[in-house]
Amino acid sequence: GDPDCTDPDDDGDGDPDATDCADLDDTIYIGAFELWNGLDDDCSGAADDDLLRGTGVDGPLTVAGVFDLSASGLAPSWVVSGIDGDELTVLGDAGSLSAGDEVVVLNLHGSDAAHAAAGTWEFATVGSAVGSTIDLLLDVSATFGQVSNADLTDQAVLVQRVPHLTTLTVQAAGELTTQPWTGALGGVIALRATGAVVVEDGGTIHADGLGYWGGDTSPVDNCDAYQGESYAGQGEGEGDGYCASYNEAWGHWINNYGGGGAHITGGGGEHGGGAQAGHSWTGGSATPPYAGATYGVAELSRVFFGSGGGGVWNGGTDTPGEDPGPGGDGGGIVYVTGLSIAGQGSSAFSAVGGTTLHWAQGTWTYGAGGGAGGSIFLAADLVDLAADAVDAGGGFGEQTHARFGGDGGVGRVRLDCSTCGGFAQGSVDADAWLAAASDPDPGFNAPAP
């Protein structure tokens, strides 16, 4: 408003008092960029609205070859060791962050005993960052610990900078990706653009196989590989001491949450559905390794990697052609928003589960399990996608030998758009177009916020 009723520009931001909603604050004015701060920065009449496109502070980006977002300096990340109100304590020096930067805080993994907060995510704006302390403009509202933010024991919580581009073009031979999940960091692509995001035919923004790990093969002849990793627990295997009973009693054939089980062959990792069990190693008398269990939510209010497939038995020999090894890793996370998004070819946006080629030889031959697809969330006013431009499919188990590994399940996809392929969001035509553009079909679709 006009605090002194004279209509001058009291704060020097270029807007006279009559049109300036906060004329004593020069960071708030018509046309300002909205921040996650609980204020109406752009005088639109609503706080924290229209955050979809970001500020454009990082300028344009064109990707012609392989571009690692995490190594570029645009999206550094840190392990969060403590949360106290609006303050994050991280491992390492977060001084590369600047005031006004957006970050995403995400709980990627818990333990068997503490995983209630896995998949929780929240966006925030940085006020300052000095050393291992990041001060945000608002208190963290979500709970990232098992009970509260005061205790992050057994939680893998990361904070990662979200690049704010003006435009993004991934050319026909371009590949925008990131580093794989390390058990603490990695596997996450999150960015915004004030203008157009265009992935040309043949280009890709992908987190294929960058999520939860496939179950490993034991380095010794123990007749039991590891279960695939999921959002809680690492998966068990090896160390049971003997092969005489073929570990039927140890129960590693049971899935590890979403991770595929392992009992000589490997079960497929799971996320959104469709994972397959592995074959019984004896052809029926021994318990087959289970496929993983489904998890997550369609609207991606919680967001997860895909889970890993079960590993395969080592076999204890080095028979020529034998290739014992892990199951496929799960797909990672892709989150992209902008004014418009175009994917001109298949798999333009991809978080596919890993396919495994690993197998082992014993009385018969045995395959490892495939990884599950991850999570893809795209949001823009205008979205235009080729057929199958969005791909969160599962990876394949090893199935060229006598006893198959199971295939991984699909991931989860959310596509928000006001105009979807030329059709109004919510129309029958828009729904059919979205289904053709994505594998699996989007589990959730809403107008772009």
Side-chain angles (χ1 to χ4, degrees), residues 119 121 123 271-272 295-304 333-335 374-379 411-416 441-447 449:
W121 62 329
F123 292 94
H271 187 185
Y295 58 95
V297 288
E299 66 271 22
L300 296 185
S301 56
R302 290 198 170 189
V303 63
F304 295 90
I333 294 167
V334 175
Y335 174 83
S375 298
I376 301 177
F377 189 151
L378 308 181
R412 295 187 180 274
V413 174
R414 173 172 174 171
L415 301 179
D416 285 359
D441 292 353
F444 190 87
N445 167 246

Side-chain angles (χ1 to χ4, degrees), residues 3-440:
D4 55 12
C5 301
T6 61
D7 269 6
D9 180 19
D10 288 330
D11 57 11
D13 61 9
D15 280 347
D17 288 353
T19 59
D20 194 335
C21 59
D23 202 48
L24 298 181
D25 188 335
D26 63 4
T27 67
I28 298 177
Y29 54 90
I30 295 173
F33 288 109
E34 198 74 10
L35 303 174
W36 297 91
N37 58 5
L39 302 175
D40 181 12
D41 301 285
D42 60 0
C43 295
S44 67
D48 290 352
D49 67 320
D50 198 29
L51 292 163
L52 184 69
R53 293 181 288 278
T55 66
V57 67
D58 295 308
L61 175 62
T62 298
V63 176
V66 177
F67 184 86
D68 184 333
L69 193 65
S70 58
S72 69
L74 289 171
S77 61
W78 297 266
V79 173
V80 177
S81 59
I83 301 175
D84 184 6
D86 63 357
E87 183 178 287
L88 305 180
T89 302
V90 301
L91 302 183
D93 186 351
S96 61
L97 290 173
S98 299
D101 280 348
E102 183 183 15
V103 294
V104 59
V105 184
L106 204 163
N107 184 324
L108 288 171
H109 195 273
S111 66
D112 287 317
H115 53 263
T120 299
W121 62 329
E122 180 174 330
F123 292 94
T125 300
V126 174
S128 65
V130 178
S132 63
T133 300
I134 303 172
D135 286 315
L136 307 174
L137 294 184
L138 292 176
D139 286 356
V140 174
S141 61
T143 299
F144 289 89
Q146 178 71 3
V147 176
S148 73
N149 286 331
D151 184 2
L152 301 183
T153 301
D154 292 336
Q155 309 303 305
V157 181
L158 69 74
V159 58
Q160 180 168 310
R161 184 178 185 271
V162 179
H164 281 200
L165 307 171
T166 51
T167 59
L168 170 61
T169 302
V170 181
Q171 296 179 344
E175 177 184 343
L176 189 154
T177 187
T178 191
Q179 292 296 299
W181 164 243
T182 66
L185 299 171
V188 179
I189 295 171
L191 59 86
R192 304 187 191 279
T194 57
V197 175
V198 178
V199 182
E200 297 178 358
D201 189 4
T204 183
I205 297 175
H206 84 84
D208 296 344
L210 303 184
Y212 298 129
W213 300 325
D216 209 350
T217 295
S218 167
V220 296
D221 181 4
N222 73 340
C223 299
D224 192 40
Y226 288 84
Q227 300 164 311
E229 185 189 26
S230 190
Y231 59 87
Q234 299 298 319
E236 295 184 354
E238 203 225 336
D240 295 330
Y242 56 91
C243 288
S245 67
Y246 295 100
N247 289 331
E248 188 78 27
W250 295 99
H252 297 162
W253 41 267
I254 296 174
N255 57 57
N256 175 46
Y257 305 96
H263 189 191
I264 314 300
T265 63
E270 185 58 286
H271 187 185
Q276 298 177 353
H279 278 186
S280 164
W281 76 270
T282 62
S285 60
T287 306
Y290 287 7
T294 58
Y295 58 95
V297 288
E299 66 271 22
L300 296 185
S301 56
R302 290 198 170 189
V303 63
F304 295 90
F305 297 143
S307 290
V312 68
W313 172 47
N314 189 324
T317 68
D318 293 314
T319 304
E322 180 185 343
D323 187 21
D329 296 333
I333 294 167
V334 175
Y335 174 83
V336 177
T337 70
L339 177 63
S340 63
I341 292 176
Q344 298 174 350
S346 61
S347 300
F349 301 89
S350 182
V352 173
T355 288
T356 179
L357 302 177
H358 292 297
W359 62 281
Q361 183 169 315
T363 305
W364 295 278
T365 52
Y366 318 101
S375 298
I376 301 177
F377 189 151
L378 308 181
D381 295 333
L382 173 63
V383 174
D384 189 12
L385 302 169
D388 297 324
V390 177
D391 189 356
F396 296 106
E398 205 291 324
Q399 298 182 359
T400 64
H401 294 85
R403 308 293 190 237
F404 293 177
D407 291 341
V410 299
R412 295 187 180 274
V413 174
R414 173 172 174 171
L415 301 179
D416 285 359
C417 41
S418 299
T419 302
C420 312
F423 305 107
Q425 189 277 335
S427 67
V428 172
D429 287 338
D431 290 345
W433 177 84
L434 287 164
S438 177
D439 179 23

